Amino acid sequence: MPTYTTEDLLLYLYNDMNELQKAAIENELQNDWALHEKFQVIKEAKNRLEKLKMHAPRRQTIEAIMQYAGRRISEIHS
């Protein structure tokens, strides 16, 4: 019985695996209650995130991040 990680479940959820991997994980989801429950939690989290209304960050915030990143790059190359 293979051990599936959260990353494996995310790949499955987003349909980002080949057919052989997909079939194997589907079989395991049907037979492993704990894995099935973990997948349901991840699936519910995805659904909730999709319903959130997202806002773009303020321009000032982006500029502050870019300035900080520029300073860090300068420090590394000094």
Side-chain angles (χ1 to χ4, degrees):
M1 178 163 84
T3 301
Y4 291 101
T5 65
T6 302
E7 291 160 348
D8 294 325
L9 294 174
L10 286 168
L11 290 171
Y12 175 75
L13 180 64
Y14 285 96
N15 199 25
D16 194 20
M17 54 178 39
N18 65 44
E19 292 301 316
L20 183 61
Q21 293 168 319
K22 185 178 175 181
I25 205 164
E26 284 173 350
N27 181 56
E28 201 63 33
L29 285 169
Q30 290 177 359
N31 296 311
D32 183 337
W33 179 85
L35 185 67
H36 183 267
E37 287 300 307
K38 186 174 184 178
F39 178 70
Q40 291 303 318
V41 169
I42 292 170
K43 189 173 165 184
E44 178 62 27
K46 176 185 177 277
N47 290 338
R48 287 182 182 200
L49 284 171
E50 289 174 347
K51 291 177 184 176
L52 288 177
K53 184 175 181 179
M54 301 292 216
H55 300 280
R58 295 180 315 167
R59 180 181 225 39
Q60 179 183 4
T61 303
I62 293 172
E63 289 173 4
I65 292 169
M66 296 305 290
Q67 286 175 1
Y68 175 78
R71 285 193 307 267
R72 294 291 298 150
I73 288 172
S74 296
E75 290 172 6
I76 291 170
H77 293 294
S78 295

Coordinates of all heavy atoms in Angstrom, one line a residue:
M1 N 0.8 -1.2 0.0 CA 0.0 0.0 0.0 C 0.9 1.2 0.0 O 1.6 1.5 0.9 CB -0.9 0.0 1.2 CG -1.8 1.2 1.4 SD -3.2 0.9 2.5 CE -2.4 1.3 4.0
P2 N 0.8 2.1 -1.1 CA 1.7 3.3 -1.2 C 1.2 4.3 -0.2 O 0.1 4.4 0.3 CB 1.5 3.7 -2.6 CG 0.2 3.1 -3.0 CD 0.0 1.9 -2.2
T3 N 2.1 5.2 0.2 CA 1.8 6.3 1.1 C 1.7 7.5 0.2 O 2.6 7.9 -0.5 CB 3.0 6.5 2.1 OG1 3.1 5.3 2.9 CG2 2.7 7.6 3.0
Y4 N 0.6 8.2 0.3 CA 0.4 9.4 -0.4 C 0.5 10.6 0.5 O 0.1 10.7 1.6 CB -1.0 9.4 -1.1 CG -1.1 8.4 -2.2 CD1 -1.7 7.2 -2.0 CD2 -0.6 8.6 -3.4 CE1 -1.8 6.2 -3.0 CE2 -0.6 7.7 -4.4 CZ -1.2 6.5 -4.2 OH -1.3 5.5 -5.2
T5 N 1.1 11.7 -0.1 CA 1.4 12.9 0.7 C 0.3 13.9 0.3 O -0.5 13.7 -0.6 CB 2.7 13.5 0.3 OG1 2.7 13.9 -1.1 CG2 3.9 12.5 0.5
T6 N 0.3 15.0 1.1 CA -0.6 16.1 0.8 C -0.4 16.6 -0.6 O -1.3 17.0 -1.3 CB -0.4 17.2 1.8 OG1 -0.7 16.7 3.1 CG2 -1.4 18.4 1.6
E7 N 0.9 16.7 -1.0 CA 1.2 17.1 -2.4 C 0.6 16.2 -3.4 O 0.1 16.7 -4.5 CB 2.7 17.2 -2.5 CG 3.3 18.3 -1.7 CD 4.8 18.1 -1.4 OE1 5.4 17.0 -1.7 OE2 5.4 19.1 -1.0
D8 N 0.6 14.9 -3.2 CA 0.0 14.0 -4.1 C -1.5 14.3 -4.2 O -2.1 14.2 -5.3 CB 0.2 12.5 -3.6 CG 1.6 12.1 -3.7 OD1 2.4 12.5 -4.6 OD2 2.0 11.3 -2.8
L9 N -2.2 14.5 -3.1 CA -3.6 14.8 -3.1 C -3.9 16.1 -3.9 O -4.9 16.2 -4.6 CB -4.1 14.9 -1.7 CG -4.1 13.5 -0.9 CD1 -4.5 13.7 0.5 CD2 -5.0 12.5 -1.6
L10 N -3.0 17.1 -3.7 CA -3.2 18.4 -4.4 C -3.0 18.2 -5.9 O -3.8 18.7 -6.7 CB -2.2 19.4 -3.9 CG -2.5 20.0 -2.6 CD1 -1.3 20.8 -2.0 CD2 -3.8 20.9 -2.6
L11 N -2.0 17.4 -6.3 CA -1.9 17.1 -7.7 C -3.1 16.4 -8.3 O -3.6 16.7 -9.4 CB -0.6 16.2 -7.9 CG 0.7 16.9 -7.7 CD1 1.8 15.8 -7.7 CD2 1.0 18.0 -8.7
Y12 N -3.6 15.5 -7.5 CA -4.9 14.8 -8.0 C -6.0 15.7 -8.1 O -6.8 15.8 -9.0 CB -5.2 13.6 -7.0 CG -6.5 13.0 -7.3 CD1 -6.6 12.1 -8.4 CD2 -7.6 13.2 -6.5 CE1 -7.8 11.5 -8.7 CE2 -8.8 12.6 -6.8 CZ -8.9 11.7 -7.9 OH -10.1 11.1 -8.2
L13 N -6.2 16.6 -7.0 CA -7.3 17.5 -7.0 C -7.3 18.5 -8.2 O -8.3 18.8 -8.8 CB -7.2 18.4 -5.7 CG -8.3 19.4 -5.5 CD1 -9.7 18.7 -5.4 CD2 -8.0 20.2 -4.3
Y14 N -6.1 18.9 -8.6 CA -5.9 19.8 -9.7 C -5.7 19.1 -11.1 O -5.3 19.7 -12.1 CB -4.8 20.8 -9.5 CG -5.3 21.9 -8.5 CD1 -5.0 21.8 -7.1 CD2 -6.0 23.0 -8.9 CE1 -5.4 22.7 -6.2 CE2 -6.5 23.9 -8.0 CZ -6.1 23.8 -6.7 OH -6.6 24.7 -5.8
N15 N -5.9 17.8 -11.1 CA -5.8 16.9 -12.3 C -4.4 17.1 -12.9 O -4.3 17.3 -14.1 CB -6.9 17.2 -13.2 CG -7.1 16.1 -14.2 OD1 -6.8 15.0 -14.0 ND2 -7.7 16.5 -15.4
D16 N -3.4 17.1 -12.1 CA -2.0 17.3 -12.6 C -1.2 16.0 -12.4 O -0.1 16.1 -11.8 CB -1.4 18.5 -11.9 CG -0.2 19.0 -12.5 OD1 0.0 18.7 -13.7 OD2 0.6 19.7 -11.9
M17 N -1.7 14.9 -12.9 CA -0.9 13.6 -12.8 C -1.4 12.8 -14.0 O -2.4 13.0 -14.6 CB -1.1 12.9 -11.5 CG -2.5 12.7 -11.1 SD -2.7 11.8 -9.5 CE -1.5 12.4 -8.4
N18 N -0.5 11.8 -14.3 CA -0.8 10.9 -15.4 C -2.0 10.0 -15.1 O -2.3 9.8 -13.9 CB 0.4 10.2 -16.0 CG 1.0 9.2 -15.0 OD1 0.3 8.5 -14.3 ND2 2.3 9.3 -14.8
E19 N -2.5 9.3 -16.0 CA -3.6 8.4 -15.8 C -3.3 7.2 -14.9 O -4.2 6.8 -14.1 CB -4.1 7.9 -17.2 CG -4.8 8.9 -18.1 CD -6.0 9.6 -17.4 OE1 -6.8 8.9 -16.8 OE2 -6.0 10.9 -17.5
L20 N -2.1 6.7 -14.9 CA -1.8 5.6 -14.1 C -1.7 6.1 -12.6 O -2.3 5.4 -11.7 CB -0.4 5.1 -14.5 CG 0.1 3.9 -13.7 CD1 -0.8 2.7 -13.9 CD2 1.5 3.5 -14.1
Q21 N -1.1 7.2 -12.4 CA -1.1 7.8 -11.0 C -2.5 8.1 -10.5 O -2.9 7.9 -9.4 CB -0.3 9.1 -11.0 CG 1.2 8.8 -11.2 CD 1.9 10.1 -11.4 OE1 1.5 11.0 -12.1 NE2 3.1 10.2 -10.9
K22 N -3.3 8.7 -11.4 CA -4.7 9.0 -11.1 C -5.5 7.8 -10.7 O -6.2 7.8 -9.7 CB -5.3 9.7 -12.3 CG -6.7 10.3 -12.0 CD -7.2 11.0 -13.2 CE -8.7 11.4 -13.0 NZ -9.2 12.1 -14.2
A23 N -5.4 6.7 -11.4 CA -6.1 5.5 -11.1 C -5.6 4.9 -9.8 O -6.5 4.4 -9.0 CB -5.9 4.5 -12.3
A24 N -4.4 5.0 -9.5 CA -3.8 4.4 -8.3 C -4.4 5.2 -7.1 O -4.8 4.6 -6.1 CB -2.3 4.4 -8.3
I25 N -4.4 6.5 -7.2 CA -4.8 7.3 -6.0 C -6.3 7.2 -5.9 O -6.8 7.2 -4.7 CB -4.4 8.8 -6.2 CG1 -4.3 9.4 -4.8 CG2 -5.2 9.6 -7.1 CD1 -3.5 10.7 -4.7
E26 N -7.1 7.1 -7.0 CA -8.5 6.9 -6.9 C -8.8 5.6 -6.1 O -9.7 5.5 -5.3 CB -9.2 6.9 -8.2 CG -9.3 8.3 -8.8 CD -9.8 8.3 -10.2 OE1 -9.8 7.3 -10.9 OE2 -10.0 9.4 -10.7
N27 N -8.1 4.5 -6.5 CA -8.3 3.2 -5.8 C -8.0 3.4 -4.3 O -8.7 2.9 -3.5 CB -7.3 2.2 -6.4 CG -7.5 0.8 -5.8 OD1 -8.6 0.3 -5.8 ND2 -6.4 0.3 -5.3
E28 N -6.9 4.1 -4.0 CA -6.5 4.2 -2.6 C -7.5 5.1 -1.8 O -7.9 4.8 -0.7 CB -5.1 4.8 -2.5 CG -4.4 4.6 -1.2 CD -4.2 3.2 -0.9 OE1 -3.9 2.4 -1.8 OE2 -4.2 2.8 0.3
L29 N -8.1 6.1 -2.5 CA -9.1 6.9 -1.9 C -10.4 6.1 -1.5 O -11.1 6.4 -0.5 CB -9.5 8.1 -2.8 CG -8.4 9.2 -2.8 CD1 -8.8 10.2 -3.9 CD2 -8.4 10.0 -1.5
Q30 N -10.7 5.1 -2.4 CA -11.8 4.3 -2.1 C -11.6 3.3 -1.0 O -12.5 2.9 -0.3 CB -12.2 3.5 -3.4 CG -12.8 4.4 -4.4 CD -13.1 3.6 -5.7 OE1 -12.8 2.4 -5.8 NE2 -13.6 4.3 -6.7
N31 N -10.3 2.9 -0.7 CA -10.0 1.9 0.2 C -9.4 2.4 1.5 O -9.4 1.6 2.5 CB -9.1 0.9 -0.4 CG -9.7 0.1 -1.6 OD1 -10.9 -0.3 -1.4 ND2 -9.1 0.1 -2.7
D32 N -8.9 3.6 1.6 CA -8.3 4.1 2.8 C -9.1 5.3 3.3 O -9.1 6.4 2.8 CB -6.9 4.6 2.4 CG -6.1 5.1 3.6 OD1 -6.7 5.5 4.6 OD2 -4.8 5.1 3.5
W33 N -9.8 5.0 4.4 CA -10.7 6.0 5.0 C -10.0 7.3 5.4 O -10.4 8.4 5.1 CB -11.5 5.4 6.2 CG -12.4 6.4 6.8 CD1 -13.7 6.7 6.5 CD2 -12.1 7.3 8.0 NE1 -14.2 7.7 7.3 CE2 -13.3 8.0 8.2 CE3 -11.0 7.4 8.7 CZ2 -13.3 9.0 9.2 CZ3 -11.0 8.4 9.8 CH2 -12.2 9.1 10.0
A34 N -8.8 7.1 6.0 CA -8.1 8.3 6.5 C -7.6 9.2 5.3 O -7.7 10.4 5.4 CB -6.9 7.8 7.3
L35 N -7.1 8.5 4.3 CA -6.7 9.3 3.1 C -7.9 10.0 2.5 O -7.8 11.2 2.1 CB -6.1 8.3 2.1 CG -5.5 9.0 0.9 CD1 -4.3 9.9 1.3 CD2 -5.1 8.0 -0.2
H36 N -9.0 9.3 2.4 CA -10.3 9.9 1.9 C -10.7 11.1 2.7 O -11.0 12.2 2.1 CB -11.4 8.9 1.8 CG -12.6 9.4 1.2 ND1 -13.6 10.0 2.0 CD2 -13.0 9.5 -0.1 CE1 -14.6 10.4 1.2 NE2 -14.3 10.0 -0.1
E37 N -10.6 11.1 4.0 CA -11.0 12.2 4.8 C -10.0 13.4 4.6 O -10.4 14.5 4.6 CB -11.0 11.8 6.3 CG -12.2 10.9 6.7 CD -13.5 11.6 6.4 OE1 -13.7 12.7 6.9 OE2 -14.4 11.1 5.7
K38 N -8.7 13.0 4.5 CA -7.7 14.1 4.3 C -8.0 14.8 3.0 O -7.9 16.0 2.9 CB -6.3 13.4 4.3 CG -5.2 14.4 4.2 CD -3.8 13.7 4.3 CE -2.7 14.6 4.4 NZ -1.4 13.9 4.5
F39 N -8.3 14.0 2.0 CA -8.6 14.6 0.7 C -9.9 15.5 0.7 O -9.9 16.5 0.1 CB -8.8 13.5 -0.4 CG -9.2 14.0 -1.7 CD1 -8.3 14.7 -2.5 CD2 -10.5 13.8 -2.2 CE1 -8.6 15.2 -3.7 CE2 -10.8 14.3 -3.5 CZ -9.9 15.0 -4.2
Q40 N -10.9 15.1 1.5 CA -12.1 15.9 1.6 C -11.8 17.2 2.3 O -12.4 18.2 1.9 CB -13.2 15.1 2.4 CG -13.7 13.9 1.7 CD -14.3 14.3 0.3 OE1 -15.0 15.3 0.2 NE2 -14.1 13.5 -0.7
V41 N -10.9 17.2 3.3 CA -10.5 18.4 3.9 C -9.8 19.4 2.9 O -10.1 20.6 2.9 CB -9.6 18.2 5.2 CG1 -9.0 19.4 5.7 CG2 -10.4 17.4 6.2
I42 N -8.9 18.8 2.1 CA -8.2 19.6 1.1 C -9.2 20.2 0.1 O -9.1 21.3 -0.3 CB -7.1 18.8 0.5 CG1 -6.0 18.5 1.5 CG2 -6.5 19.5 -0.7 CD1 -5.0 17.5 1.1
K43 N -10.1 19.3 -0.3 CA -11.1 19.7 -1.3 C -12.0 20.8 -0.8 O -12.3 21.8 -1.5 CB -11.9 18.5 -1.7 CG -12.8 18.7 -2.9 CD -13.4 17.3 -3.2 CE -14.6 17.4 -4.1 NZ -15.2 16.1 -4.3
E44 N -12.4 20.7 0.5 CA -13.2 21.8 1.1 C -12.5 23.1 1.2 O -13.0 24.2 1.0 CB -13.7 21.3 2.4 CG -14.6 22.3 3.2 CD -15.8 22.7 2.4 OE1 -16.4 21.9 1.7 OE2 -16.3 23.9 2.7
A45 N -11.2 23.0 1.6 CA -10.4 24.2 1.7 C -10.3 24.9 0.3 O -10.3 26.1 0.2 CB -9.0 23.8 2.2
K46 N -10.1 24.1 -0.7 CA -10.0 24.7 -2.1 C -11.3 25.4 -2.4 O -11.3 26.5 -3.0 CB -9.7 23.6 -3.1 CG -9.7 24.0 -4.5 CD -9.5 22.9 -5.5 CE -9.6 23.3 -6.9 NZ -11.0 23.4 -7.4
N47 N -12.4 24.7 -2.1 CA -13.7 25.3 -2.4 C -13.9 26.6 -1.7 O -14.4 27.6 -2.2 CB -14.8 24.4 -2.1 CG -14.9 23.2 -3.1 OD1 -14.4 23.3 -4.2 ND2 -15.4 22.1 -2.6
R48 N -13.5 26.7 -0.4 CA -13.6 27.9 0.4 C -12.7 29.0 -0.2 O -13.2 30.2 -0.2 CB -13.3 27.6 1.8 CG -14.4 26.8 2.5 CD -14.0 26.7 4.0 NE -15.1 25.9 4.6 CZ -15.2 25.8 5.9 NH1 -14.4 26.6 6.7 NH2 -16.2 25.1 6.5
L49 N -11.5 28.7 -0.6 CA -10.6 29.7 -1.1 C -11.1 30.3 -2.4 O -11.0 31.4 -2.7 CB -9.2 29.1 -1.3 CG -8.4 28.8 -0.1 CD1 -7.1 28.0 -0.4 CD2 -8.0 30.2 0.5
E50 N -11.8 29.4 -3.2 CA -12.3 29.9 -4.5 C -13.5 30.9 -4.3 O -13.7 31.7 -5.1 CB -12.7 28.7 -5.3 CG -11.6 27.9 -5.9 CD -12.0 26.7 -6.6 OE1 -13.2 26.3 -6.5 OE2 -11.1 26.1 -7.3
K51 N -14.2 30.8 -3.2 CA -15.3 31.6 -2.9 C -14.9 33.0 -2.3 O -15.7 33.9 -2.3 CB -16.3 31.0 -2.0 CG -17.0 29.8 -2.6 CD -17.9 29.1 -1.6 CE -18.5 27.8 -2.3 NZ -19.3 27.1 -1.3
L52 N -13.6 33.1 -1.8 CA -13.2 34.3 -1.2 C -13.0 35.4 -2.2 O -12.6 35.2 -3.4 CB -11.8 34.1 -0.5 CG -11.8 33.3 0.8 CD1 -10.4 33.2 1.2 CD2 -12.6 34.0 1.8
K53 N -13.4 36.6 -1.8 CA -13.2 37.8 -2.7 C -11.8 38.3 -2.4 O -11.5 38.7 -1.3 CB -14.2 38.8 -2.5 CG -14.1 40.0 -3.4 CD -15.3 41.0 -3.2 CE -15.1 42.1 -4.2 NZ -16.2 43.1 -4.1
M54 N -11.0 38.2 -3.4 CA -9.6 38.7 -3.3 C -9.4 40.1 -3.7 O -10.1 40.5 -4.7 CB -8.6 37.8 -4.1 CG -8.7 36.3 -3.7 SD -8.1 36.1 -2.0 CE -7.3 34.5 -2.2
H55 N -8.5 40.8 -3.1 CA -8.2 42.2 -3.4 C -6.7 42.2 -3.8 O -5.9 41.6 -3.1 CB -8.5 43.1 -2.3 CG -9.9 43.1 -1.8 ND1 -10.9 43.8 -2.5 CD2 -10.6 42.5 -0.8 CE1 -12.1 43.6 -1.9 NE2 -11.9 42.8 -0.9
A56 N -6.4 43.1 -4.7 CA -5.0 43.3 -5.1 C -4.4 44.1 -4.0 O -5.0 44.9 -3.4 CB -4.9 44.0 -6.4
P57 N -3.1 43.8 -3.7 CA -2.4 44.6 -2.7 C -2.3 46.1 -3.1 O -2.2 46.4 -4.3 CB -1.0 43.9 -2.6 CG -0.9 43.1 -3.8 CD -2.2 42.8 -4.3
R58 N -2.1 46.9 -2.1 CA -1.9 48.3 -2.5 C -0.6 48.5 -3.2 O 0.3 47.8 -2.9 CB -2.0 49.2 -1.2 CG -3.3 49.2 -0.5 CD -3.3 50.0 0.7 NE -2.1 49.7 1.5 CZ -1.7 50.5 2.5 NH1 -2.3 51.6 2.9 NH2 -0.6 50.2 3.2
R59 N -0.6 49.5 -4.0 CA 0.7 49.8 -4.8 C 1.8 50.1 -3.8 O 2.9 49.7 -4.0 CB 0.4 51.0 -5.7 CG 1.6 51.4 -6.5 CD 1.3 52.7 -7.3 NE 1.7 52.7 -8.7 CZ 1.7 51.7 -9.6 NH1 1.3 50.5 -9.3 NH2 2.1 51.9 -10.9
Q60 N 1.5 50.8 -2.7 CA 2.5 51.1 -1.7 C 3.1 49.8 -1.1 O 4.3 49.8 -0.9 CB 1.9 52.0 -0.6 CG 2.8 52.4 0.5 CD 2.1 53.1 1.6 OE1 0.9 53.3 1.6 NE2 2.8 53.6 2.6
T61 N 2.3 48.8 -0.9 CA 2.8 47.6 -0.4 C 3.8 46.9 -1.3 O 4.8 46.4 -1.0 CB 1.6 46.6 0.0 OG1 0.8 47.3 0.9 CG2 2.1 45.3 0.5
I62 N 3.4 46.9 -2.6 CA 4.2 46.3 -3.6 C 5.5 47.0 -3.7 O 6.6 46.4 -3.8 CB 3.5 46.2 -5.0 CG1 2.3 45.2 -4.9 CG2 4.4 45.8 -6.1 CD1 1.4 45.2 -6.1
E63 N 5.5 48.3 -3.7 CA 6.7 49.1 -3.8 C 7.6 48.9 -2.6 O 8.8 48.7 -2.8 CB 6.4 50.6 -3.9 CG 5.8 51.0 -5.3 CD 5.3 52.4 -5.4 OE1 5.4 53.2 -4.4 OE2 4.7 52.7 -6.4
A64 N 7.1 48.7 -1.4 CA 7.9 48.5 -0.3 C 8.6 47.1 -0.4 O 9.7 46.9 0.0 CB 7.0 48.5 1.0
I65 N 7.8 46.1 -0.9 CA 8.4 44.8 -1.1 C 9.5 44.8 -2.1 O 10.6 44.2 -1.9 CB 7.3 43.8 -1.5 CG1 6.4 43.5 -0.3 CG2 7.9 42.4 -2.0 CD1 5.1 42.8 -0.7
M66 N 9.3 45.5 -3.2 CA 10.3 45.6 -4.2 C 11.6 46.3 -3.7 O 12.7 45.9 -4.0 CB 9.8 46.3 -5.5 CG 8.6 45.5 -6.1 SD 9.1 43.8 -6.6 CE 10.2 44.1 -7.9
Q67 N 11.4 47.4 -2.9 CA 12.5 48.1 -2.4 C 13.3 47.2 -1.5 O 14.6 47.2 -1.5 CB 12.1 49.4 -1.7 CG 11.6 50.5 -2.6 CD 11.1 51.7 -1.8 OE1 11.0 51.7 -0.6 NE2 10.6 52.7 -2.6
Y68 N 12.6 46.5 -0.6 CA 13.3 45.5 0.3 C 14.1 44.5 -0.5 O 15.2 44.2 -0.2 CB 12.3 44.9 1.2 CG 12.9 43.8 2.1 CD1 13.6 44.2 3.3 CD2 12.8 42.5 1.8 CE1 14.1 43.2 4.1 CE2 13.3 41.5 2.6 CZ 14.0 41.9 3.7 OH 14.6 40.9 4.5
A69 N 13.5 43.9 -1.5 CA 14.1 42.9 -2.3 C 15.4 43.5 -3.0 O 16.4 42.8 -3.1 CB 13.2 42.3 -3.4
G70 N 15.2 44.7 -3.5 CA 16.4 45.4 -4.1 C 17.5 45.5 -3.2 O 18.7 45.3 -3.5
R71 N 17.2 46.0 -1.9 CA 18.3 46.1 -0.9 C 19.0 44.8 -0.6 O 20.2 44.7 -0.5 CB 17.7 46.7 0.4 CG 17.4 48.2 0.3 CD 17.1 48.8 1.6 NE 16.1 48.1 2.4 CZ 14.8 48.4 2.4 NH1 14.4 49.4 1.7 NH2 14.0 47.8 3.2
R72 N 18.2 43.7 -0.5 CA 18.7 42.4 -0.2 C 19.6 41.9 -1.3 O 20.7 41.4 -1.1 CB 17.6 41.4 0.0 CG 16.8 41.7 1.3 CD 17.5 41.4 2.6 NE 17.9 40.1 2.6 CZ 19.0 39.6 3.3 NH1 19.8 40.4 3.9 NH2 19.3 38.3 3.3
I73 N 19.2 42.2 -2.5 CA 20.1 41.8 -3.7 C 21.4 42.5 -3.7 O 22.4 42.0 -3.9 CB 19.3 42.0 -5.0 CG1 18.2 40.9 -5.1 CG2 20.3 41.8 -6.2 CD1 17.3 41.1 -6.3
S74 N 21.3 43.8 -3.4 CA 22.5 44.7 -3.3 C 23.5 44.1 -2.2 O 24.7 44.1 -2.4 CB 22.2 46.1 -3.0 OG 21.4 46.7 -4.1
E75 N 22.9 43.7 -1.0 CA 23.7 43.2 0.1 C 24.4 41.9 -0.3 O 25.5 41.7 0.0 CB 22.8 43.0 1.3 CG 22.3 44.3 1.9 CD 21.3 44.0 3.0 OE1 21.1 42.8 3.4 OE2 20.7 45.0 3.6
I76 N 23.7 41.1 -1.1 CA 24.2 39.8 -1.5 C 25.4 40.0 -2.4 O 26.4 39.3 -2.3 CB 23.1 38.9 -2.1 CG1 22.1 38.5 -1.0 CG2 23.7 37.7 -2.8 CD1 20.9 37.8 -1.6
H77 N 25.3 40.9 -3.3 CA 26.3 41.2 -4.4 C 27.4 42.1 -3.9 O 28.3 42.3 -4.6 CB 25.7 41.7 -5.6 CG 24.8 40.7 -6.3 ND1 25.3 39.6 -6.9 CD2 23.4 40.7 -6.5 CE1 24.3 38.9 -7.4 NE2 23.1 39.5 -7.2
S78 N 27.3 42.6 -2.7 CA 28.4 43.5 -2.2 C 29.5 42.7 -1.6 O 29.5 41.6 -1.2 CB 27.8 44.4 -1.1 OG 26.8 45.2 -1.6

